[in-house]
Amino acid sequence: MRTQKIFTALSLIGAIGVGLIVAAPTPAAARDPAYMSCEDLWYARNRIYARNGYCFNTDRARAVFGAGCFPPYGRLSGWEKSRVNQLQMWERRKGC
């Protein structure tokens, strides 16, 4: 009986903890380049290029995103260019 009460109490605590984790929104800072690591900045920038078919030349980018090379071959829209410029600025600022 005591074991069942302990198990029930632990299950309740776990359920509350999981609820808090699931309900917590992603903080805006996690998407803000000022708070991103060099690795995160690199990944975010190249992810934009990858979804636009950029032909990657470096071993690192090919290992992560594949060779790419499909239309529009890395051509970016206005907001994508702006985001890439912002990410590159933060990479330079942080010395990446």
Side-chain angles (χ1 to χ4, degrees), residues 24-89:
T26 303
R31 295 180 304 274
D32 185 345
Y35 297 98
M36 295 169 80
S37 69
C38 285
E39 180 71 21
D40 292 337
L41 290 165
W42 178 89
Y43 183 81
R45 177 174 49 84
N46 284 294
R47 185 178 58 218
I48 294 169
Y49 283 118
R51 74 172 165 244
N52 285 287
Y54 183 79
C55 301
F56 290 104
N57 296 315
T58 66
D59 291 337
R60 178 183 181 193
R62 283 178 177 242
V64 175
F65 299 107
C69 294
F70 60 85
Y73 302 107
R75 195 168 341 144
L76 306 178
S77 68
W79 75 267
E80 289 172 319
K81 287 178 192 174
S82 177
R83 182 63 173 172
V84 164
N85 289 337
Q86 180 186 40
L87 293 165
Q88 286 175 325
M89 185 270 302

Side-chain angles (χ1 to χ4, degrees), residues 6-24:
I6 292 171
F7 180 74
T8 302
L10 290 174
S11 296
L12 180 60
I13 291 169
I16 292 169
V18 169
L20 291 174
I21 291 170
V22 171

